[in-house]
Amino acid sequence: MGLTTTTAADQVKLLNNIFYKSDLLSADERQQIYSLMDNVEEDQSWGTSAGAASYQLKNGWLDYGSDQWIVNSIGHVTLKNGTDYTIAVYTDGSSTMQDGETLIENLAKATAKVMKDAKD
């Protein structure tokens, strides 16, 4: 995902076709992608999952020199109150990978709060 040429909005459209109704993907295709995004290595379970009760995600990163990192995270999030949504966050220019992860997680937590408050 570090070299993606799509936008965050494009990724949300894709995620909506995976996790909600789709005229483009079959149920089997959607289930296969769901399974892959649901089973991530522990060291990669950061990003849009922050603040979620359960999640499916895909993260990407790229160090492109001079302390410049691209760090991205897309996913489907379910909160403790049952609210679910798709989210895509792209960052560019972080000094470290950790800085990019932290930024994404702060945005994900803020989004989770807004989504929770909207349902309550």
Side-chain angles (χ1 to χ4, degrees), residues 21-39:
K21 185 179 178 192
S22 176
D23 294 330
L24 304 173
L25 299 169
S26 70
D28 287 343
E29 290 167 332
R30 292 173 59 220
Q31 181 56 45
Q32 181 178 13
I33 298 167
Y34 178 99
S35 179
L36 290 169
M37 292 179 72
D38 194 44
N39 294 296

Side-chain angles (χ1 to χ4, degrees), residues 16-71:
N16 288 342
N17 272 277
I18 296 166
F19 294 99
Y20 304 110
K21 185 179 178 192
S22 176
D23 294 330
L24 304 173
L25 299 169
S26 70
D28 287 343
E29 290 167 332
R30 292 173 59 220
Q31 181 56 45
Q32 181 178 13
I33 298 167
Y34 178 99
S35 179
L36 290 169
M37 292 179 72
D38 194 44
N39 294 296
V40 297
E41 297 293 325
E42 185 63 31
D43 65 339
Q44 292 186 29
S45 62
W46 51 266
T48 55
S49 58
S54 68
Y55 57 87
Q56 297 75 42
L57 62 83
K58 171 69 176 109
N59 296 323
W61 56 92
L62 175 67
D63 174 6
Y64 60 96
S66 302
D67 298 323
Q68 297 290 307
W69 283 81
I70 296 171
V71 184

